[in-house]
Amino acid sequence: MYAPRPEAAPGVLRYGYRPLDPARSKDAEVPAGPLLLRAALNLLVAWPAALYAPVLVYYLMSLFGIPAPSSEAPATLLVVVLQLGAVILAIRFFGRMGRWPEVWRRWVAPLLARAVTHEQPAEAQTPAPAPVTDPWYGLRHGGAPQAAAALDAAAVGDVDYVRIQRAWEGVLGEPARLPEFLAEVAARGAAACAHPSEARDLPGRGAGHDLLTRQVRLGTAQDVVKNPPAHRAAGFALDPALLATSLLAVGPAGTGKTARLARPVAEALCLQALAGTACAVVIGAAEANLGPDSWYDVVIAPGDPVTAYGLDLYGAAREVDEAAARLADALLPDELAPRAESARIALQQTVGPFHAAYGRYPGVRELRELLGGSEDGAERWAVLAETLRKAGRYAEHEPDLHHRERQRGRADDPGALLADRLALLDRPAFAGQFAAGEGARPAFAMRALDHPLRVRVKLPEQSHPEAARILARLVVGQFLQATAVRTDRSLFAGLVVDDASAAVDAPIVRGLQRLRGANAGAVLLLRTLVDLPEALRAPLFGAVGCRMAFPGIAPWDGRLFSEAWGTHLVQEKAVTHAPDTSGGFLRKLGRAGRKALSGTTAQTESITTRDVERHRWSPSDLAHALPTGHAVISLTTVAGEQVPPVLVDLRS
């Protein structure tokens, strides 16, 4: 915690960061060979110029009739000043052309510093001790010195430190909690105010995390001209201020999206949840490398018979119609979008009366029977109507019941379509995982995001691919609903979707735009933008603030990145060659002899330099020029500060 963390541009790892001197960064752009040769040549010219500067002064004095100094008439102060001025002017003029200050900064000054250090005695070379910083200064001088003393004697990790500091901030906001805080620290030491799981770290954590700044290191920005000067050769990191604008990453399989982006971000969110500053929802295939189950508090694995938790299909809705509409959007694939509105109405007309009659939402099988046109469905509707009469709410839902009665059995009944889609979730492998009532497994509801939870959703992409697509859309939609209605937004809510091709639809794109104001963000990974409907590609690019391209993306995918990143001015040099026809007879005769001897025609060369607009990264560069293990990423903070595309080495 004592390492320097200076302010830096968004995306720069602040831990141990040393801001570069702008002058030195410009120096590094000049190669050493040409710079030293230029300095030496100017030194050779400046030496005689400085020696003969007094002669020039005497010449000027003679022009104005001023007697030159001699043994009878010594030099006056004016003459001395003029001579010194001429020498200084010559040195300054040639020193600027030879870039002597740069040579001094890059070579002479460091060499002298090493020589002085080498000549000093060992006692003088001992560095001064670093200033001692009290990690518990706020506690020690804020009314809890006994707690600070107890923590001084404990082994405190980075998660412990951030968690206890956050708890202390809560005490400052509510002083009545001070006795409870003191008792907790006295009893448990560094384990005080622990996460409900009692975990104080993640087993096998690998990525570089700085929990004090909430940054996770992904790699190193390359020292290339295309990168902004502030990012060159610096560590590259993400934090909640960037993730809150959401991130879209596109790249083929095997380019490192999961291992070098999704897993480190998921790991960072889980660590921040243990520290009490975030909650995490991580979605991906059961086989995806998104961390072991021990990283998470809730693991939802539909199709796994030993999973302890199910999923609440209506999770984060505030009202019945909203829950039914989100479920209908998740059930219908993109190709059935024209029937989405009628499907929402049909589901609302079914779920609303059921909830009014029984005080709960229907399970998958119950909902399927009500929406289908079978005889069992008719009997369930009759029982539902009778239950509503007994509850005194039949008149309230009578129009919905009559409308569903008229629609049932018709060829264009959206209920039959919904029943067919629900059949994908009503499988023996999913028994009890989406049910409601007695005998069902504990179901996770997305409304619990007010707490520092770590949730992992394992999609059965191998055994039930279409059901996995439905669940992906449903969980992402519930996350967006839950973050929008949270009353306590002090926790950052992070969503990581390993393969978002099935999870993105029009409502999802609209919901992403509202995450910035809800202290929440999403990281969406795609193999290619072709997996999405064409109508969603440009809106999705506009909805996210951070965009990341991995090597090997298709040129049509690179075109969207290139257009989103825009253009900038670059200097373009055009070289033109033309036959040399200048000079008189002798020069032309010489050129004729040269052509006869060498076979080449003498030419003149003209160079034209102009500023032109070019793409920061062209589609061809993104598709073919990105090195393996690298990525190009642009950033936007919640405050609106933008960082142009940065080439990052994800392996370092």
Side-chain angles (χ1 to χ4, degrees):
M1 66 166 292
Y2 302 116
R5 291 175 175 83
E7 293 296 328
V12 174
L13 182 67
R14 292 172 54 191
Y15 178 80
Y17 172 65
R18 295 181 179 178
L20 295 178
D21 184 359
R24 294 196 177 192
S25 63
K26 293 180 181 178
D27 294 345
E29 298 176 1
V30 182
L35 179 61
L36 292 174
L37 177 62
R38 182 177 177 180
L41 291 176
N42 278 271
L43 180 62
L44 291 177
V45 177
W47 183 261
L51 290 179
Y52 286 95
V55 178
L56 177 62
V57 172
Y58 296 154
Y59 175 72
L60 294 176
M61 292 173 61
S62 64
L63 291 179
F64 290 98
I66 302 175
S70 61
S71 56
E72 292 80 9
T76 62
L77 179 62
L78 176 62
V79 174
V80 174
V81 170
L82 290 176
Q83 292 178 346
L84 288 176
V87 172
I88 293 173
L89 183 64
I91 294 176
R92 182 176 180 82
F93 177 76
F94 290 103
R96 186 168 185 175
M97 287 201 306
R99 306 185 75 164
W100 294 351
E102 296 177 16
V103 176
W104 176 270
R105 284 194 298 265
R106 293 176 65 175
W107 288 286
V108 180
L111 185 63
L112 292 177
R114 285 196 296 269
V116 171
T117 303
H118 181 72
E119 293 176 0
Q120 289 180 348
E123 294 79 6
Q125 297 182 25
T126 304
V132 178
T133 303
D134 184 4
W136 309 111
Y137 181 87
L139 279 69
R140 203 179 311 277
H141 300 276
Q146 59 272 43
L151 293 171
D152 285 337
V156 181
D158 54 353
V159 176
D160 299 328
Y161 180 79
V162 176
R163 186 187 66 250
I164 294 174
Q165 288 288 6
R166 178 173 172 81
W168 176 246
E169 292 173 2
V171 171
L172 295 179
E174 299 181 32
R177 295 169 52 189
L178 179 59
E180 179 185 354
F181 175 79
L182 294 177
E184 178 78 7
V185 174
R188 307 193 62 187
C193 311
H195 187 266
S197 67
E198 295 295 333
R200 296 170 58 189
D201 206 345
L202 294 181
R205 57 183 277 191
H209 302 279
D210 183 12
L211 292 182
L212 271 68
T213 58
R214 304 177 70 181
Q215 288 185 310
V216 53
R217 180 188 177 109
L218 297 183
T220 303
Q222 296 298 279
D223 191 4
V224 295
V225 177
K226 280 194 172 185
N227 282 352
H231 288 74
R232 295 175 189 170
F236 184 84
L238 296 177
D239 56 43
L242 297 170
L243 295 177
T245 63
S246 297
L247 186 150
L248 174 66
V250 181
T255 53
K257 300 190 304 299
T258 301
R260 293 171 177 154
L261 175 62
R263 181 182 169 112
V265 172
E267 185 177 335
L269 293 174
C270 289
L271 283 171
Q272 292 174 26
L274 293 180
T277 59
C279 55
V281 178
V282 181
I283 307 172
E287 303 80 15
N289 182 19
L290 295 172
D293 291 351
S294 58
W295 283 11
Y296 302 96
D297 304 309
V298 177
V299 178
I300 304 170
D304 186 353
V306 299
T307 184
Y309 291 93
L311 178 66
D312 185 351
L313 297 180
Y314 310 92
R318 293 172 295 180
E319 55 186 29
V320 176
D321 285 352
E322 184 182 3
R326 183 60 250 176
L327 180 57
D329 291 337
L331 288 172
L332 297 186
D334 299 322
E335 54 268 22
L336 295 178
R339 302 188 63 181
E341 188 59 36
S342 60
R344 292 191 195 99
I345 295 174
L347 202 56
Q348 290 168 347
Q349 292 173 340
T350 304
V351 174
F354 189 97
H355 189 273
Y358 299 103
R360 63 176 178 86
Y361 289 105
V364 172
R365 182 158 298 179
E366 294 170 323
L367 192 58
R368 180 187 175 191
E369 292 177 353
L370 287 170
L371 290 169
S374 64
E375 295 181 1
D376 292 340
E379 293 177 2
R380 278 196 171 273
W381 278 107
V383 173
L384 177 60
E386 184 62 26
T387 306
L388 285 172
R389 288 190 181 94
K390 291 180 180 179
R393 303 189 65 178
Y394 180 81
E396 178 184 346
H397 295 280
E398 184 178 6
D400 290 341
L401 297 176
H402 287 174
H403 187 270
R404 288 304 308 144
E405 179 67 25
R406 292 192 301 268
Q407 288 285 329
R408 192 168 64 249
R410 293 177 51 175
D412 59 347
D413 179 17
L417 174 61
L418 290 170
D420 291 340
R421 300 293 297 173
L422 282 168
L424 297 169
L425 302 180
D426 188 17
R427 302 295 302 159
F430 302 145
Q433 298 184 359
F434 309 121
E438 298 181 1
R441 301 182 186 183
F444 169 75
M446 200 65 71
R447 67 179 69 91
L449 291 185
D450 289 339
H451 306 282
L453 280 175
R454 303 166 294 163
V455 182
R456 170 75 161 96
V457 181
K458 295 185 175 182
L459 301 176
E461 293 186 353
Q462 298 294 331
S463 56
H464 301 83
E466 195 58 32
R469 291 169 59 87
I470 294 174
L471 293 174
R473 286 195 295 270
L474 181 63
V475 174
V476 174
Q478 289 185 354
F479 176 87
L480 297 178
Q481 283 182 335
T483 53
V485 300
R486 284 192 306 169
T487 55
D488 182 9
R489 296 183 175 179
S490 60
L491 296 179
F492 176 78
L495 172 70
V496 179
V497 187
D498 185 46
D499 183 5
S501 58
V504 177
D505 54 17
I508 297 298
V509 173
R510 291 192 294 269
L512 287 173
Q513 300 171 350
R514 296 190 290 267
L515 289 181
R516 300 189 185 192
N519 194 24
V523 177
L524 308 178
L525 277 61
L526 290 173
R527 293 186 180 92
T528 174
L529 292 169
V530 178
D531 292 340
L532 301 179
E534 188 173 358
L536 291 179
R537 298 171 194 171
L540 178 60
F541 259 72
V544 299
C546 304
R547 307 171 184 94
M548 191 170 186
F550 282 79
I553 64 172
W556 44 87
D557 289 343
R559 179 178 57 82
L560 278 176
F561 280 98
S562 183
E563 292 176 354
W565 288 336
T567 60
H568 65 149
L569 290 176
V570 297
Q571 280 194 346
E572 186 179 80
K573 292 183 179 180
V575 181
T576 304
H577 294 89
D580 187 4
T581 58
S582 61
F585 174 76
L586 292 178
R587 190 168 181 178
K588 291 180 180 179
L589 182 62
R591 286 199 295 267
R594 174 185 173 184
K595 182 177 181 181
L597 294 174
S598 64
T600 59
T601 303
Q603 294 182 330
T604 60
E605 181 180 275
S606 61
I607 300 177
T608 304
T609 304
R610 58 176 181 171
D611 290 336
V612 295
E613 284 193 357
R614 290 287 183 265
H615 284 291
R616 297 181 185 273
W617 283 87
S618 68
S620 178
D621 290 340
L622 293 172
H624 307 294
L626 277 185
T628 303
H630 292 64
V632 180
I633 178 172
S634 63
L635 304 172
T636 303
T637 66
V638 178
E641 186 177 358
Q642 295 186 347
V643 175
V646 180
L647 177 63
V648 180
D649 184 357
L650 301 176
R651 301 167 300 182
S652 62

